[in-house]
Amino acid sequence: MPEFIPVLSEQQITDQINKVGQKISRDYKTKDLVLIGVLKGSFIFLSDLTRQISVDHEIDFIGASSYEGATSTGQIVFTKQPDLELEGRDILLVEDIVDTGNTLLKIIEFVKLLNPKSIKICTLIDKHERREVKINVDYSCFSIEKGFIVGYGLDYNEKYRNLPAIYDLKL
Ligand code: IMP
Ligand code: MG
């Protein structure tokens, strides 16, 4: 049986998202903000974050998938492209977790081709141990060193996204 070791509680997640949402609201007061959620892992984070951002903004999604199970395949497949016009706009990419950084690097390269005014990164979790590429994370709710975590949108083989808190999964 898999074991779920608590890492972040619902309250901790809520409190931190409130803080990050306030900071984004201050930073984007005079900007043309578009949040782009990276599917699928960011869907719960994005839905809580958008409600903590008090400046007008729009929402879109980009579909990128890099993982099978708990090990990276090293391949990134785009499954959905943004619908909104992004040229000249201020893009904030919203990720569930930055691990090696390879997914985000590919997404940034892709979004750059759409000529936005700015691109910044907001992640729920910044996981350090396996980082392979330099990524400048502008907004991070939590930093962890290592482990494989599930819950609050994060999956293992598409399961456990529904857990309201975040757990380290021991298989
Ligand atoms: P990267 O390309 O290695 O940075 O991988 C990023 C993607 O891998 C994330 O958007 C997640 O979907 C997935 N991922 C990486 N680490 C974890 C984890 O600990 N739990 C669940 N998904 C993870
Ligand atoms: Mg995933």
Side-chain angles (χ1 to χ4, degrees), residues 67 96 155 161:
Y67 265 68
D96 54 352
D155 72 303
R161 295 193 198 273

Side-chain angles (χ1 to χ4, degrees), residues 108-134:
I108 293 167
E109 279 169 10
F110 173 75
V111 173
K112 269 187 184 158
L113 299 174
L114 304 172
N115 294 320
K117 187 170 179 195
S118 66
I119 306 177
K120 289 196 174 186
I121 310 299
C122 176
T123 188
L124 178 68
I125 314 263
D126 191 356
K127 186 165 80 175
H128 298 279
E129 191 190 31
R130 306 189 327 138
R131 192 66 43 88
E132 288 172 7
V133 292
K134 199 182 167 321

